[in-house]
């Protein structure tokens, strides 16, 4: 018999997901009223383009967090994959597919190393990915000799700055990642196992699930998506920048948490993460439009992260 | 014994008309408990009788729905454990919660450290000196500077009791304190209890062990199905009377006899040895229930967990349907047609944050899939079928498992494991903490499985259950099989005798 049996409540997730969506709409309405430029097609495209990199990272780390892990190496992996991809993207060298596959491939490799160290080596995810954070950063600097990799082909740069059907490519990629990820998590066996492993590893194992494989899959997806984000960023700034993406993992994790995914694992959704990403993006954009200095922006962002979790905690009790 | 005239004033503690409900279960129904100063008051009852709930109310972990607690003639209200501790209550939990890296003295004075005049500074010298005095007062020979993790379970328990004393506790609740103790350690513990009694401390003592109760208790209260059944002085009641009070019902009404002739051997184990058991030999036939009895810590769960691939054996062979097999993981076991209902449904049975549907299909998700994708319709209909078949009381399959009653949770676990249609079903304490109605339903399901020719292993600490359900009973003691009993030779007394050796 359990204490919380005495308190009947709505199924968890329902209220919190809904609540965060309402909060998002509220923020949008507020910003539309205070600054006329906010709710214009141009500005909305700007916001979406800005959030797409953090969005792709956040969706990757959603897999890991639902599976009960964490990935702190995202920002460094982003830089590493960016410089690797960029160095194969000089004009007139390789076809576009080479840097793209290499970038994603390096991300997958890093994710696999993380995942194997965590599962086979039984080291805590926090420690493994903290180590990987500096390893990948170091690798990025070694690979590029500490210098930005410039002179990239126009085709490569289009991944970050081009349009397709009048929609910026990063946004299209973000949407594609959202759809595929949501389908994996919701409608595939592996997706269900990710929730089960994060919710109760012992029960998952006793149900015949190969938990190590499931965790490894989550870290590989996360690494692969970090690779994709690294390519998009390098293309957008037309440079493979070994110092790019510092602390990006924190923004990604923040988006996941705002979206109602539990850091304890077993609970969360892609939809929640997307809203979390949009909230962070809209607030950054809105505060810029309102000429709030970046010092205050940081404070406000932090307050929102904590408030979101407080709200979630209340619902989860 | 106090004369009854002084009843109202003579009791140190009176818990009166206590009731407590959880969704789906009435855990306590109008229960009384009157405890005298300087006496040992035993509380007995089967698992699920409501003993733990009552104790949790006394120590402030739960608040009662109705009733009052009167301590030293005044009503008291505990909103938290802290309140109960301050008032003079203490509880020695079945599972101790020490700080392993800290010293004995530090454990005793945790939260209550003697301070130096400089604010916040602990007076370690005084702390060790006081702890030493306390130990001497209790006649214990444990160096107070030893780290807690170097102590035996028995010694830790004694330190817990010293801690209770240092908090000036006048009522100490002990929940199955001897379950992990050897006979010699139990004797030392009992001396300590007598010492505490002499100092006027009242002890509420929960145990399943008859002989202990008759040795140490002054008064016995029996509970059953959340109700107070009887309270009497320990000297006035025989072993048999006590058992009939505890069990309280004709077993035949719950345990229906099966008419199944056991078939060929489904599982056999030879020389199986692991960390906590040695040389286990047995075989199990189709259409048969093999009971495994024994005290907590006898190694029963470890044996079945090893068969299911949750733990690794160090020696021995396992044969499934006549073929020697190697089982490295639960996945291997499931593929060989073995199903396990684990001892702790919350720890190993359920994903509590998941829905009923998700839990039911978890171990057989492949059957609800086409390729890598879950067939949502099919999953829903399979879950619905299982919910109906196992009479799980839920509004829909999308309800989160965490908020179901224990009985319903256990039925979800059963529905999950049986969805794979295992030929060999292992149930480890399948009815722990669930009410009598749900128990009866689980027994019925077991009988259905047996009549379908499945083989069942049942581990249970409840003797009536193991006697009522098993065709054969294997008794374990400290990692070894000490007896195999069939038919008329299987009695509660015989089992306990072999279980305690």
């Amino acid at each position: 018999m359990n204490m919380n049996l005495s308190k009947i409540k709505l199924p968890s997730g329902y209220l919190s997901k809904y609540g965060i969506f309402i909060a998002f709409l509220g923020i949008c309405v507020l910003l539309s009223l205070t600054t006329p430029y906010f709710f214009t097609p141009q500005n909305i495209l700007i916001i979406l383009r800005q959030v797409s990199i953090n969005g792709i990272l956040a969706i990757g780390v959603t897999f890991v967090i639902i599976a009960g892990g964490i990935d702190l190496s995202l920002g460094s992996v982003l830089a590493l994959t960016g410089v690797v991809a960029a160095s194969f993207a000089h004009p007139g060298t390789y076809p576009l597919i080479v840097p793209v596959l290499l970038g994603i491939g390096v991300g997958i490799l890093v994710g696999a190393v993380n995942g194997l160290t965590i599962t086979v080596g039984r080291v805590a995810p926090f420690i493994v990915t903290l180590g990987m954070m500096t390893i990948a950063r170091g690798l990025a600097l070694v690979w590029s000799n500490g210098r930005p990799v410039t002179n990239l082909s126009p085709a490569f740069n289009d991944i970050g700055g081009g349009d397709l059907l009048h929609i910026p490519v990063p946004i299209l990629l973000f949407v594609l990642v959202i759809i595929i990820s949501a389908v994996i998590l919701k409608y595939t066996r592996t997706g269900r196992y990710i929730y089960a492993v994060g919710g109760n590893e012992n029960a998952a194992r006793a149900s015949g699930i190969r938990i190590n494989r499931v965790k490894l899959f989550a870290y590989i997806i996360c690494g692969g998506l970090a690779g994709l984000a690294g390519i998009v960023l390098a293309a957008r700034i037309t440079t493979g920048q070994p110092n790019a993406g510092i602390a990006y993992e924190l923004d990604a994790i923040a988006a996941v948490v705002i979206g109602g995914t539990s850091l304890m694992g077993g609970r969360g959704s892609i939809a929640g993460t997307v809203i979390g990403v949009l909230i962070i993006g809209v607030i950054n954009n809105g505060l810029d439009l309102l000429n709030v200095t970046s010092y205050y922006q940081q404070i406000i962002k932090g307050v929102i992260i904590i408030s979101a979790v407080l709200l979630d905690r209340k619902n989860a009790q | 014994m106090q004369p009854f005239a002084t009843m109202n004033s003579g009791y140190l503690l009176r818990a009166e008309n206590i009731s407590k409900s959880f969704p789906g279960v009435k855990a306590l129904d109008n229960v009384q408990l009157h405890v005298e100063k300087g006496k040992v008051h035993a509380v007995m009852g089967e698992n699920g009788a409501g003993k733990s709930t009552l104790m949790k109310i006394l120590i402030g972990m739960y608040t009662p729905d109705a009733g009052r607690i009167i301590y030293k003639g005044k009503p008291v209200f505990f909103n938290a454990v802290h309140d109960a501790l301050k008032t003079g209550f203490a509880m020695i939990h079945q599972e101790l919660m020490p700080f392993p890296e800290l010293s004995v003295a530090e454990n005793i004075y945790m939260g209550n450290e003697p301070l130096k005049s400089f604010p916040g500074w602990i007076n370690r010298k005084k702390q060790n000196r006081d702890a030493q005095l306390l130990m001497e007062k209790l006649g214990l020979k444990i160096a107070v500077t030893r780290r807690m993790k170097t102590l035996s379970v028995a010694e830790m328990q004694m330190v817990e009791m010293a801690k209770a004393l240092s908090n000036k506790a006048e009522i100490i609740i002990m929940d199955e304190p001897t379950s992990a103790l050897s006979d010699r350690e139990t004797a030392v513990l009992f001396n300590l209890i007598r010492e505490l009694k002499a100092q006027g401390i009242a002890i509420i003592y929960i145990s399943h062990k008859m002989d202990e109760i008759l040795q140490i208790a002054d008064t016995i209260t029996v509970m059953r199905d959340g109700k107070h059944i009887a309270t009497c002085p320990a000297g006035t009641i025989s072993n048999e009377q006590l058992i009939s009070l505890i069990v309280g019902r004709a077993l035949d009404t719950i345990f229906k006899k099966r008419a199944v002739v056991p078939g060929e051997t489904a599982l056999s184990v030879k020389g199986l040895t692991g960390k906590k058991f040695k040389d286990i030999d047995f075989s199990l036939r189709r259409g048969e229930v093999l009971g495994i009895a024994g005290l907590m810590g006898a190694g029963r769960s470890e044996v079945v967990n090893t068969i299911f691939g949750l733990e690794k054996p160090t020696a021995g062979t396992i044969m499934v349907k006549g073929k020697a097999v190697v089982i490295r993981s639960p996945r291997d076991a499931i593929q060989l047609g073995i199903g396990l209902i684990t001892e702790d449904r919350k720890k190993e049975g359920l994903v509590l944050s998941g829905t009923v549907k998700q839990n039911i299909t978890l171990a057989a998700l492949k059957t609800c899939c086409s390729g890598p994708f879950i067939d949502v319709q099919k999953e829903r209909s399979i879950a619905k079928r299982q919910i109906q078949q196992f009479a799980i009381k839920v509004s829909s399959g999308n309800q989160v498992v965490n908020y179901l009653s224990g009985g319903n949770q256990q039925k979800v676990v059963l529905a999950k494991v049986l969805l794979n249609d295992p030929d060999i079903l292992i149930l480890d304490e399948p009815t722990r903490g669930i009410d009598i109605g749900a128990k009866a339903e689980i027994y019925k399901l077991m009988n259905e499985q047996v009549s379908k020719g499945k083989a069942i292993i049942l581990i249970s600490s409840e003797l009536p259950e193991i006697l009522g359900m098993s065709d054969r009973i294997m008794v374990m003691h400290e990692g070894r099989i000490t007896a195999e009993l069939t038919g008329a030779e299987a009695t509660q007394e015989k089992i306990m005798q072999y279980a305690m050796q």
Side-chain angles (χ1 to χ4, degrees), chain B residues 85-356:
Chain B
L85 295 181
K86 241 175 31 191
T87 311
F89 289 52
M91 183 156 174
I92 315 289
H93 292 271
Q94 198 173 350
E95 281 148 40
L96 301 171
M97 292 171 272
F99 299 92
E101 298 293 337
L102 299 183
S103 74
V104 168
E106 283 165 327
N107 268 277
I108 290 175
Y109 289 100
M110 179 56 66
N112 195 19
E113 296 85 356
L115 298 180
K116 284 187 177 174
S117 48
F118 188 77
W121 239 242
I122 294 173
N123 189 340
R124 281 178 190 278
K125 268 191 196 149
K126 184 170 181 338
Q127 182 170 277
N128 285 342
R129 210 166 47 230
D130 288 356
Q132 191 58 48
L133 279 173
L134 202 58
M135 288 299 187
E136 280 163 20
K137 197 170 150 196
L138 288 171
L140 298 176
K141 291 187 190 76
I142 304 171
V144 297
T145 50
R146 275 175 70 186
R147 284 207 191 181
M148 203 66 177
K149 67 177 179 188
T150 66
L151 270 55
S152 71
V153 177
E155 288 173 323
M156 284 190 205
Q157 232 162 26
M158 300 182 183
V159 171
E160 287 281 328
M161 286 164 78
K163 182 176 179 172
L165 274 194
S166 82
N167 283 332
K168 308 213 163 40
E170 293 186 57
I171 291 189
I172 300 181
I173 300 168
M174 306 183 77
D175 187 3
E176 303 245 18
T178 60
S179 59
L181 301 192
S182 70
D183 286 354
R184 210 177 50 79
E185 289 171 327
T186 301
V188 177
L189 177 75
F190 282 3
N191 279 336
L192 182 55
I193 290 178
R194 291 191 188 101
E195 181 63 35
L196 293 173
K197 268 176 67 173
Q199 295 179 20
I201 287 164
I203 307 228
I204 301 177
Y205 190 95
I206 299 181
S207 177
H208 288 298
K209 300 184 187 170
M210 288 306 161
D211 55 331
E212 275 182 11
I213 298 285
L214 297 175
Q215 247 188 78
I216 196 82
D218 298 299
T219 314
I220 301 175
T221 287
V222 176
M223 292 177 66
R224 190 200 313 144
D225 297 337
K227 293 191 182 70
H228 175 262
I229 299 299
T231 297
C232 52
T236 63
I237 188 166
S238 73
N239 215 326
E240 288 71 34
Q241 283 171 312
L242 205 48
I243 289 174
S244 73
L245 280 177
I246 292 169
V247 179
R249 51 188 169 254
L251 297 179
D252 320 356
T253 58
I254 321 170
F255 305 110
K256 290 212 184 74
K257 282 285 165 237
R258 301 173 298 268
V260 185
V261 183
E264 76 264 31
T265 304
L267 172 77
S268 66
V269 164
K270 274 211 173 59
L272 195 66
T273 300
K275 273 189 199 130
K276 292 201 171 157
F277 56 89
K278 218 178 163 187
D279 282 334
I280 303 296
D281 293 337
F282 69 85
S283 68
L284 172 71
R285 295 158 75 186
R286 290 177 151 271
E288 181 187 45
V289 178
L290 171 67
I292 307 183
L295 300 179
M296 214 176 288
R300 300 169 300 167
S301 297
E302 287 79 4
V303 170
V304 296
N305 285 350
T306 305
I307 293 171
F308 194 65
L310 281 166
E311 292 173 28
K312 286 192 177 70
T314 54
T317 52
I318 300 171
M319 315 244 290
V320 176
K321 289 163 210 157
K323 260 191 267 170
V325 293
V326 179
I327 297 170
R328 285 196 190 83
S329 67
R331 190 183 158 81
D332 292 347
I334 290 169
Q335 278 167 355
L336 287 165
I338 305 174
L340 171 68
I341 312 287
T342 49
E343 184 182 13
D344 187 338
R345 62 179 163 266
K346 291 196 173 174
K347 210 171 130 209
E348 284 150 345
L350 294 165
V351 179
L352 289 172
S353 55
T355 64
V356 171

Side-chain angles (χ1 to χ4, degrees), chain A:
Chain A
M1 267 163 274
N2 200 308
M3 271 291 271
N4 50 22
L5 280 181
S6 55
K7 288 173 201 151
I8 302 288
K9 70 167 269 305
L10 287 166
S12 63
Y14 236 43
L15 209 67
S16 51
K17 206 193 284 175
Y18 217 57
I20 208 72
F21 189 63
I22 291 168
F24 171 64
L25 290 182
I27 293 168
C28 287
V29 169
L30 206 71
L31 288 171
S32 309
L33 295 177
T34 44
T35 131
Y37 182 69
F38 176 80
F39 200 68
T40 59
Q42 297 95 311
N43 191 46
I44 288 170
L45 273 186
I46 287 173
I47 294 173
L48 288 176
R49 194 205 287 262
Q50 277 172 344
V51 301
S52 54
I53 288 170
N54 184 38
I56 293 169
L57 288 176
I59 284 178
V61 80
T62 302
F63 281 83
V64 166
I65 292 176
I66 292 177
I70 191 80
D71 193 343
L72 301 175
S73 64
L74 291 177
S76 303
V77 178
L78 177 103
L80 173 63
T81 56
V83 293
V84 169
S87 51
F88 288 92
H90 300 304
T93 51
Y94 300 94
L96 181 61
I97 191 76
V98 173
V100 169
L101 286 184
L102 276 174
I104 295 175
V106 168
I108 286 175
L109 197 68
V110 175
V113 172
N114 279 338
L116 286 172
T117 317
I118 288 160
T119 54
V120 181
R122 296 183 189 215
V123 185
F126 188 95
I127 293 164
V128 172
T129 59
L130 187 67
M132 186 55 80
M133 179 166 122
T134 69
I135 293 171
R137 179 70 61 191
L139 287 173
L141 290 162
V142 169
W143 181 273
S144 62
N145 284 320
R147 284 189 296 272
V149 182
T150 52
N151 184 25
L152 309 182
S153 72
F156 183 81
N157 289 337
D158 275 349
I159 298 173
D163 288 347
L164 201 67
L165 309 167
H166 303 292
I167 303 171
V169 176
I171 299 179
L172 289 175
L173 288 172
F174 182 33
V175 171
L176 196 68
V177 167
I178 292 171
I179 293 169
I180 293 173
S181 302
V183 168
I184 290 177
L185 272 182
K186 217 168 170 177
Y187 296 110
T188 68
R189 207 155 65 223
T190 310
R192 178 69 57 81
Y193 289 169
I194 287 175
Y195 282 98
V197 168
N200 185 346
E201 202 175 310
N202 293 322
R205 190 164 127 77
S207 297
I209 295 169
R210 286 175 284 200
I211 52 176
N212 280 0
R213 280 195 190 193
V214 173
K215 287 188 191 171
L216 186 59
F217 176 81
Y219 282 97
I220 283 176
I221 290 257
C222 186
L225 287 178
L228 178 63
I231 293 166
V232 173
L233 179 67
R236 206 175 121 207
I237 58 178
T238 68
T239 316
Q241 175 58 263
N243 287 315
I246 288 173
Y248 273 29
E249 59 277 346
L250 298 183
D251 260 2
I253 294 168
V256 175
V257 168
I258 292 173
T261 294
S262 162
L263 278 183
M264 308 300 290
R267 203 159 67 82
S269 69
I270 295 295
T273 296
V274 171
I275 290 176
V277 167
L278 289 176
I279 285 182
I280 292 182
V282 161
I283 286 169
N284 281 340
N285 172 271
L287 295 177
D288 277 341
L289 292 180
L290 290 169
N291 287 323
V292 178
T293 65
S294 68
Y295 301 165
Y296 281 103
Q297 287 195 19
Q298 297 195 32
I299 296 172
I300 293 168
K301 210 160 80 182
V303 169
I304 286 171
I305 294 168
I306 295 171
S307 315
V309 178
L310 273 177
L311 186 97
D312 196 48
R313 180 65 46 82
K314 261 200 161 141
N315 288 329
Q317 264 172 10

Side-chain angles (χ1 to χ4, degrees), chain B residues 17-35:
Chain B
N17 308 325
I18 305 281
S19 293
K20 175 81 184 169
S21 293
F22 297 102
V25 193
K26 182 131 200 180
L28 289 178
D29 188 1
N30 221 9
V31 171
Q32 330 289 330
L33 186 70
H34 294 181
V35 181

